[in-house]
Amino acid sequence: MRYSVYRATTEFMSSLNHDNNNLKLHRDRQFEHSSGSVIMLTAIQSMLNKGFLIKAATVDCELNELYEMTNSIESDWTANPNVTIISKFAFMSSTSVGDVFTDNVTGQAYLVGTFEISKVSLVFDGADA
């Protein structure tokens, strides 16, 4: 299987110290609230719509291997031979809560939560899904 990895742009990440609206988006995307993932998904959709969240890489692996393949455990995950970087404008952090992947065949989106990776519905218009 091939999955697309979405990451925030470096421009967005560099704005967090001086743009409170972007900081709120970033925090809402990465924090699983007691009300579930609604706040996270709203923040993610907003970031997609504004071009702050972009397709950064593809990874060839099974879904159950995706989290490990996109984390720098013993080495930089972007150097993994199953990873292809496709954007120089993405902030290439290790995968964490609030990150999004898509299945390149079906288009199904997945959200990384605190305890699992879940199927979610997002609109990728203009985000190059």
Side-chain angles (χ1 to χ4, degrees):
M1 303 283 303
R2 176 170 286 171
Y3 295 91
S4 291
V5 177
Y6 286 79
R7 292 291 187 261
T9 63
T10 53
E11 181 180 1
F12 174 80
M13 295 302 286
S14 67
S15 75
L16 299 181
N17 286 332
H18 59 273
D19 187 322
N20 287 334
N21 291 327
N22 286 355
L23 181 59
K24 180 173 177 5
L25 274 179
H26 181 64
R27 286 181 176 161
D28 285 349
R29 176 179 72 98
Q30 293 195 308
F31 180 70
E32 228 170 340
H33 301 267
S34 59
S35 60
S37 60
V38 173
I39 293 171
M40 290 175 75
L41 289 172
T42 301
I44 290 165
Q45 188 64 65
S46 180
M47 289 179 69
L48 284 166
N49 295 347
K50 294 176 179 183
F52 295 156
L53 199 60
I54 60 172
K55 189 185 296 187
T58 60
V59 181
D60 294 313
C61 67
E62 296 301 318
L63 182 61
N64 65 344
E65 301 170 317
L66 198 50
Y67 185 82
E68 185 176 344
M69 295 284 272
T70 56
N71 270 276
S72 298
I73 299 168
E74 294 180 13
S75 61
D76 181 358
W77 74 268
T78 62
N80 185 316
N82 294 352
V83 172
T84 303
I85 304 302
I86 57 176
S87 177
K88 64 181 180 180
F89 301 107
F91 186 80
M92 300 304 283
S93 57
S94 288
T95 295
S96 62
V97 172
D99 283 337
V100 174
F101 301 100
T102 56
D103 181 315
N104 282 17
V105 173
T106 66
Q108 175 64 58
Y110 295 89
L111 173 66
V112 177
T114 303
F115 300 109
E116 64 186 359
I117 296 176
S118 304
K119 289 181 179 181
V120 294
S121 294
L122 294 165
V123 178
F124 289 88
D125 292 343
D128 193 24

